[in-house]
Amino acid sequence: MQLLKERILKDGVVKKGNVLKVDSFLNHQMDIDLLNEIGKEFKRLFADCNINKILTIEASGIGIACIVAQYFNVPVVFAKKTQSINIDGEVYSTKIESFTHKKVYDVIVSKKFLSEKDNVLIIDDFLANGCALEGLVDLVTSAGATIEGIGIVIEKGQQKGGDMIRGKGLRLESLAIIDGMNDETGEVIFR
Amino acid sequence: MQLLKERILKDGVVKKGNVLKVDSFLNHQMDIDLLNEIGKEFKRLFADCNINKILTIEASGIGIACIVAQYFNVPVVFAKKTQSINIDGEVYSTKIESFTHKKVYDVIVSKKFLSEKDNVLIIDDFLANGCALEGLVDLVTSAGATIEGIGIVIEKGQQKGGDMIRGKGLRLESLAIIDGMNDETGEVIFR
């Protein structure tokens, strides 16, 4: 997606440790016009799919998923990172190791909101080592729902997540795949 | 907001301990059409305000804030609940005690995204004892930004948050104020 790549080059910041900061437009401050263009692009890419629900994970996936959902006319469900006393009854749960926060989360979705009748589009902001995405896939599988596709805004192509997910035969569309970064020059190389 | 009240009566569930579950349409599964109606209503209520940014807090505020932001043509910034290694540089921080999760969070916003030039609309899903909202007000005040208004979807009128915020002279608009609930009959009484 050309507009996204241009925005990454303009406002993304490459940091030591293979970190790309896009917090000025994607995952701390959010540019809603850009999110709408992202929504249109996912709709174009998944136009042939019969999607009735979008699943994402808190926190930074939620805003993207809600804007994207407008183009599919479907509700959003977000997986929650810890058991809350406001989640009652039974839940699907899995464990996700966070690269960013260096800890393991319990991640849950209420059984009320995911079932074998659902055809799910999974949406998230980043795909790197794939732990979060693998957890979401696990939740959908536990529910007996169908994964119609996975839409990622930025995939870090040098980490194993993309290959792992594609290796499972899942349909993964990433709007920008980054194959290299240089924290000294600030260079970003797209696939 | 009549449509919201009707939805609460239809799909909200009253639980012991003064808990109202609206997780089927507002804060776990999200009805995007309803969020758009909420966005229109906040735009109507704050039409006279000069708002250039919406501030919310993760997680359940984010989706609402992003849809609402479309009616104001402004970006969304969400306060984060723990220090992340992806947040660099300086941040405004405050502490918030969560009624739901029974713990105290550090909540931060990058200084890059909130400054004295900003005229902020704060958006959140619930207002009960007001701890989260007080933290957001504190962050905006620390930045020297102006609070143009506060938009809450559901206010629990019997808890102290609403009075406390209005007592500070802040402009607070809640789309539904609940003055009583009965977990045996399921009754919900609106102000």
Side-chain angles (χ1 to χ4, degrees), chain A:
Chain A
M1 183 182 172
Q2 193 56 31
L3 183 75
L4 174 66
K5 290 179 186 171
E6 287 167 9
R7 189 62 177 272
I8 292 168
L9 292 174
K10 179 172 165 277
D11 292 329
V13 179
V14 181
K15 295 276 178 181
K16 278 197 185 6
N18 200 31
V19 171
L20 175 67
K21 286 175 64 69
V22 289
D23 59 353
S24 65
F25 59 94
L26 192 65
N27 54 17
H28 185 18
Q29 182 166 257
M30 310 181 87
D31 178 336
I32 306 298
D33 293 337
L34 177 66
L35 296 194
N36 270 292
E37 294 305 317
I38 286 170
K40 287 177 201 166
E41 182 64 5
F42 280 134
K43 178 61 187 176
R44 189 183 70 78
L45 291 166
F46 293 107
D48 60 314
C49 296
N50 177 30
I51 288 159
N52 77 320
K53 196 163 280 187
I54 287 178
L55 177 69
T56 188
I57 182 166
E58 65 177 36
S60 42
I62 299 174
I64 300 164
C66 284
I67 300 293
V68 171
Q70 294 178 318
Y71 295 90
F72 291 88
N73 290 309
V74 299
V76 170
V77 174
F78 66 88
K80 301 193 171 197
K81 278 183 181 161
T82 47
Q83 182 86 33
S84 155
I85 60 163
N86 274 349
I87 299 270
D88 73 342
E90 290 187 66
V91 297
Y92 299 110
S93 78
T94 190
K95 287 187 187 294
I96 292 179
E97 187 174 352
S98 168
F99 170 78
T100 314
H101 298 91
K102 303 199 187 305
K103 58 182 169 180
V104 176
Y105 294 98
D106 284 303
V107 175
I108 59 171
V109 168
S110 170
K111 289 187 179 175
K112 288 183 291 185
F113 307 132
L114 209 51
S115 80
E116 66 224 4
K117 291 180 208 147
D118 287 320
N119 298 304
V120 178
L121 174 63
I122 295 175
I123 292 285
D124 209 359
D125 56 343
F126 265 95
L127 171 60
N129 57 34
C131 287
L133 192 48
E134 205 168 24
L136 291 175
V137 168
D138 186 40
L139 290 171
V140 177
T141 307
S142 299
T146 303
I147 298 174
E148 289 285 328
I150 299 169
I152 296 293
V153 181
I154 301 175
E155 177 181 338
K156 291 163 103 176
Q158 291 177 303
Q159 291 181 249
K160 69 184 169 83
D163 286 350
M164 181 186 69
I165 293 294
R166 290 184 183 93
K168 290 176 193 263
L170 293 166
R171 177 167 171 185
L172 168 63
E173 301 278 5
S174 298
L175 303 186
I177 302 179
I178 292 170
D179 274 341
M181 295 189 284
N182 185 324
D183 65 70
E184 287 177 9
T185 62
E187 192 184 15
V188 175
I189 300 155
F190 294 106
R191 184 168 297 178

Side-chain angles (χ1 to χ4, degrees), chain B residues 127-145:
Chain B
L127 172 59
N129 57 35
C131 287
L133 192 47
E134 205 167 24
L136 291 175
V137 168
D138 187 40
L139 291 170
V140 177
T141 307
S142 299

